[in-house]
Amino acid sequence: MDPVAAKYIGAGLACLGMGLAAIGVGSIFGNFLSGALRNPSAADGQFGRAFIGAALAEGLGIFCFVVALVLMFVL
């Protein structure tokens, strides 16, 4: 296999993590809204935790993006 083709395949696989991070953020906020509609009095206490979870998921997505850029332009 051509090394350039392997580099592009690896970068494409690393980019899958960005899509999975987006699915994770959607799941976090979807479950938060579901819980907030069931118990509105507890929604204020959980709002900060929802943002912390979303930030962690987005951080992993950005890390996958950085790995893809490293594979494309450094190696």
Side-chain angles (χ1 to χ4, degrees), residues 4-74:
V4 176
K7 180 171 70 169
Y8 288 136
I9 290 171
L13 289 174
C15 286
L16 287 176
M18 291 187 300
L20 294 175
I23 291 171
V25 170
S27 175
I28 288 168
F29 282 112
N31 288 329
F32 169 73
L33 288 176
S34 176
L37 291 175
R38 289 182 186 184
N39 190 359
S41 63
D44 289 336
Q46 299 299 320
F47 191 67
R49 289 187 178 100
F51 270 110
I52 289 172
L56 290 173
E58 284 293 325
L60 290 174
I62 291 170
F63 180 69
C64 291
F65 179 66
V66 169
V67 168
L69 287 178
V70 166
L71 286 173
M72 291 285 293
F73 297 114
V74 176

